[in-house]
Amino acid sequence: MEPFLPALSKAGRPSARPFSRRTPGGTPRACSARFKSPVPSSPTACQPASDEDALQREIEELKRKDLALDQEIAQLTAEGYSPEELETHISLLHEYNEIKDAGQMLLGRLALLPAAPHGRAFQSRD
């Protein structure tokens, strides 16, 4: 590996802006030039037939999953569950988890105060 040498100006002194020229040799590019992406603008137009087959298989798999979820929703509705009840239950579970996380943080801080292990804080606070 070559040692790092500072960029020198034409006069032989260290350059004030050693990294200002990023493109080696040639004329510098204009900053106002448009960016040309290396990715084609329409990805489906350039895809071979095998990719289209893979996409078709993925679409079919997603349709099967959608049908299975619809059947599960119908089964839960038939068992007497309502979407509102399930949403309420889920929001209560979120609230419970937030409270539990806050409790875990408090127990962790309590365990640090007397320089006791985390497990001992659970044992002494039960």
Side-chain angles (χ1 to χ4, degrees), residues 35-52:
F35 174 75
K36 184 173 185 294
S37 175
V39 179
S41 59
S42 60
T44 56
C46 299
Q47 292 180 344
S50 63
D51 286 345
E52 289 179 16

Side-chain angles (χ1 to χ4, degrees), residues 5-7 10-11 28 41-42 53 69 71 91 93-95 100:
L5 297 174
K10 291 181 182 177
S41 59
S42 60
D53 293 339
L69 288 173
Q71 290 172 349
S91 67
L93 284 172
H94 283 296
E95 185 178 348
K100 185 187 70 146

Side-chain angles (χ1 to χ4, degrees), residues 103-125:
Q104 291 284 352
M105 287 188 334
L106 285 174
L107 283 174
R109 288 184 182 208
L110 286 173
L112 292 177
L113 289 176
H118 195 75
R120 195 177 299 166
F122 284 104
Q123 293 170 356
S124 64
R125 309 295 191 269

Side-chain angles (χ1 to χ4, degrees), residues 72-126:
E72 187 176 348
I73 290 170
Q75 178 185 359
L76 289 171
T77 305
E79 291 175 3
Y81 294 103
S82 69
E84 294 81 20
E85 180 184 2
L86 293 174
E87 287 178 21
T88 303
H89 186 71
I90 290 170
S91 67
L92 288 172
L93 284 172
H94 283 296
E95 185 178 348
Y96 165 78
N97 283 331
E98 289 173 4
I99 293 170
K100 185 187 70 146
D101 290 343
Q104 291 284 352
M105 287 188 334
L106 285 174
L107 283 174
R109 288 184 182 208
L110 286 173
L112 292 177
L113 289 176
H118 195 75
R120 195 177 299 166
F122 284 104
Q123 293 170 356
S124 64
R125 309 295 191 269
D126 286 340

Side-chain angles (χ1 to χ4, degrees), residues 2-84:
E2 295 180 19
F4 173 76
L5 297 174
L8 299 178
S9 67
K10 291 181 182 177
R13 292 178 298 218
S15 173
R17 297 180 358 186
F19 300 109
S20 64
R21 190 170 175 216
R22 295 190 181 259
T23 55
T27 58
R29 295 184 191 176
C31 292
S32 62
R34 294 194 54 166
F35 174 75
K36 184 173 185 294
S37 175
V39 179
S41 59
S42 60
T44 56
C46 299
Q47 292 180 344
S50 63
D51 286 345
E52 289 179 16
D53 293 339
L55 288 174
Q56 286 298 328
R57 285 192 301 271
E58 186 177 350
I59 289 170
E60 292 302 319
E61 179 65 27
L62 289 172
K63 285 181 180 178
R64 281 193 291 275
K65 286 181 181 179
D66 186 40
L67 181 63
L69 288 173
D70 285 342
Q71 290 172 349
E72 187 176 348
I73 290 170
Q75 178 185 359
L76 289 171
T77 305
E79 291 175 3
Y81 294 103
S82 69
E84 294 81 20

